[in-house]
Amino acid sequence: MPADADIRRLPDAIPLLRRPDPRFRLVAAFVASITPALLTRPEAAAAACTAALAAAFAARLSLGQALRRLAVLNMFTAFLWLTVPLSLPGEPLWAWGPLSFSRTGAELALTVTLKCNAVLLLFLSLTAGMEPSVIAQALERLRCPVSLVFLLLFTSRYVHTVAEEYGRLAEAARLRGFAPGANLHTYRTVGCLLGMVLVRSYDRALRVHEAMRLRGFDGRFRSTVRFAASTGDVLFLAAMFAAATFLMLFDRFPELIRV
Amino acid sequence: MHISEGVLDPAVLSVGAVLAAAGTVLGLRRLDPERLIVVALLAAVFFVGSLVHVPVGAGASAHLVLNGLPGMLLGWAAFPCILTALFLQAVLFQFGGFAVLGINTFNMAFPAVLAGLAFRRLPQGSSGVRRAGAFCCGALSVAGAALLTALSLTFTHEGFALSARILFAAHLPIMLAEGLVTAAVFAFLIRVRPELAAGI
């Protein structure tokens, strides 16, 4: 095997949904975020969910990560299940004393649950493997304002540094006997930890800015990443739009599309 | 605090997106381009801060929202700051997505900006008043954000009215904790970097 052969470049190694150009994937992710929001019926939402599962397979999502994200999301949807059917009036599915679990409420909760999960999986699949820096460069190519792209790049660059710094300070506090509780001491300590991280980040920002100026930074951002679109990318996006249109039609005119 | 994708009505989403865009444009216009990198670092701090868990009583603990800090330190530039942090949260943790980014940004940034502007009106000298002001800035930013989130839910569908009310009530102990943490951050900044406490 030649020295520069990269196992990831072998055609079978890259999952299907990770192959399109990042710009196309971002637009697709945007479409995938908007479309479920427009759906109103549980059947259409369920169809969106099925599409999302298919996308998750096509992107070969890591099961552990997907489950963790879904768990966090569904804590909110569980909360909705507990409140919406009990408060929305309607024909009761079952009743227990003064509490009545309405059918309309359950339908609403179901639709929202399906929509939320569909969007999460679609979003995860379409942005899988894209580093924030790649996303920022793709956004810049998609005519996003340069200052926002700049913010995104630098924030994503420093998030890990700041997180590490906070982690170190928090550990130092723990080693000195700090045990969080619902008291003034805890809030004051957390405030000081955050303040310290803020001060260090501010100083770092000034240093980085000066270093950039000394290296000729004039405020304009120039990207060196080359993006190349192919017919496959265009077809991919067209398929996304077609699927989205189909879902919306299915939602609005269920009689037209009899399965 | 921020709402997931798929819950809100498209009308609410669009209004939120437009308002967030307006706030961001205003924030970027008022910002000295030299200070963009400071805003980026503050966005990183805001991002990390929102991952911090703090006990709020009765055995429960909650993530800090901390939107009062960008409001206090950045004013209108809190909009691009919070937008960036939320975008990163969407991409890295899938908290929310692209459709809901606008309304979430507006819900968190607008109260922060208002509270921050009010805070800047306070007299420079007396530190006790300013510390109380910082507490109010932190608490009211979270209160405003919780209120706007509850309203977004209610405007989407009247079925969410109870959920919205419970959500808001659940944030009351968090408001207290946030006010105290923000006041503590301010007190720290006044001692260590007074020029930072005066605002970027």
Side-chain angles (χ1 to χ4, degrees), chain A residues 178 181 183-195, chain B residues 54 131 177 180-188 191:
Chain A
F178 173 62
N183 49 49
L184 198 58
H185 174 67
T186 303
Y187 302 138
R188 214 180 279 152
T189 308
V190 170
C192 285
L193 289 178
L194 285 169
Chain B
V54 151
R131 222 172 293 186
L180 292 169
V181 170
T182 309
V185 173
F186 178 73
F188 183 88
R191 285 199 308 272

Side-chain angles (χ1 to χ4, degrees), chain A residues 7-18:
Chain A
I7 194 89
R8 288 170 297 173
R9 300 263 166 77
L10 293 176
D12 305 330
I14 308 176
L16 193 63
L17 216 54
R18 299 195 198 194

Side-chain angles (χ1 to χ4, degrees), chain A residues 69 83 115-116 187 203 213, chain B residues 5-6 34 55 94 163 193:
Chain A
R69 302 282 186 263
T83 52
K115 288 199 306 194
C116 285
Y187 302 138
D203 291 343
R213 286 274 298 268
Chain B
E5 287 275 18
E34 302 276 298
Q94 288 78 46
S163 326
R193 278 277 183 291

Side-chain angles (χ1 to χ4, degrees), chain A residues 146-158:
Chain A
V146 167
S147 38
L148 284 179
V149 172
F150 185 95
L151 273 181
L152 189 60
L153 274 175
F154 275 86
T155 310
S156 60
R157 158 70 182 91
Y158 283 107

Side-chain angles (χ1 to χ4, degrees), chain A:
Chain A
M1 236 193 293
D4 59 2
D6 188 346
I7 194 89
R8 288 170 297 173
R9 300 263 166 77
L10 293 176
D12 305 330
I14 308 176
L16 193 63
L17 216 54
R18 299 195 198 194
R19 290 188 212 174
D21 183 270
R23 294 168 295 169
F24 290 80
R25 285 175 71 187
L26 262 189
V27 175
F30 187 70
V31 171
S33 291
I34 305 269
T35 310
L38 302 172
L39 303 176
T40 53
R41 299 187 312 116
E43 294 87 348
C49 237
T50 322
L53 281 168
F57 276 112
R60 256 190 259 154
L61 285 184
S62 122
L63 187 65
Q65 189 199 38
L67 285 177
R68 272 196 304 270
R69 302 282 186 263
L70 287 170
V72 172
L73 173 76
N74 286 300
M75 290 201 295
F76 178 68
T77 54
F79 164 70
L80 286 182
W81 273 101
L82 289 173
T83 52
V84 174
L86 290 175
S87 62
L88 196 58
E91 167 215 333
L93 277 179
W94 61 262
W96 185 51
L99 298 172
S100 143
F101 205 80
S102 74
R103 176 186 209 91
T104 31
E107 256 179 43
L108 179 64
L110 179 67
T111 314
V112 170
T113 308
L114 288 170
K115 288 199 306 194
C116 285
N117 283 286
V119 170
L120 185 95
L121 282 176
L122 280 170
F123 195 80
L124 254 184
S125 317
L126 289 166
T127 56
M130 285 211 293
E131 294 291 329
S133 53
V134 173
I135 295 182
Q137 309 264 19
L139 280 173
E140 198 254 336
R141 227 41 81 77
L142 290 169
R143 307 289 170 79
C144 184
V146 167
S147 38
L148 284 179
V149 172
F150 185 95
L151 273 181
L152 189 60
L153 274 175
F154 275 86
T155 310
S156 60
R157 158 70 182 91
Y158 283 107
V159 151
H160 300 287
T161 318
V162 172
E164 236 178 65
E165 200 151 319
Y166 185 85
R168 256 182 288 133
L169 288 174
E171 193 166 321
R174 273 195 302 275
L175 287 172
R176 283 158 180 74
F178 173 62
N183 49 49
L184 198 58
H185 174 67
T186 303
Y187 302 138
R188 214 180 279 152
T189 308
V190 170
C192 285
L193 289 178
L194 285 169
M196 193 72 236
V197 170
L198 204 61
V199 166
R200 288 198 185 162
S201 302
Y202 178 68
D203 291 343
R204 174 177 279 120
L206 294 180
R207 274 199 312 270
V208 168
H209 181 68
E210 229 171 88
M212 285 165 65
R213 286 274 298 268
L214 287 171
R215 283 159 179 75
F217 181 64
D218 58 4
R220 271 201 53 214
F221 173 69
R222 294 167 185 83
S223 171
T224 57
V225 169
R226 297 250 169 279
F227 288 113
S230 70
T231 341
D233 297 333
V234 179
L235 286 175
F236 160 72
L237 200 57
M240 271 297 308
F241 275 110
T245 317
F246 176 78
L247 267 177
M248 288 198 285
L249 285 175
F250 180 49
D251 186 59
R252 291 300 137 107
F253 309 109
E255 330 79 55
L256 283 181
I257 304 164
R258 285 276 98 194
V259 174

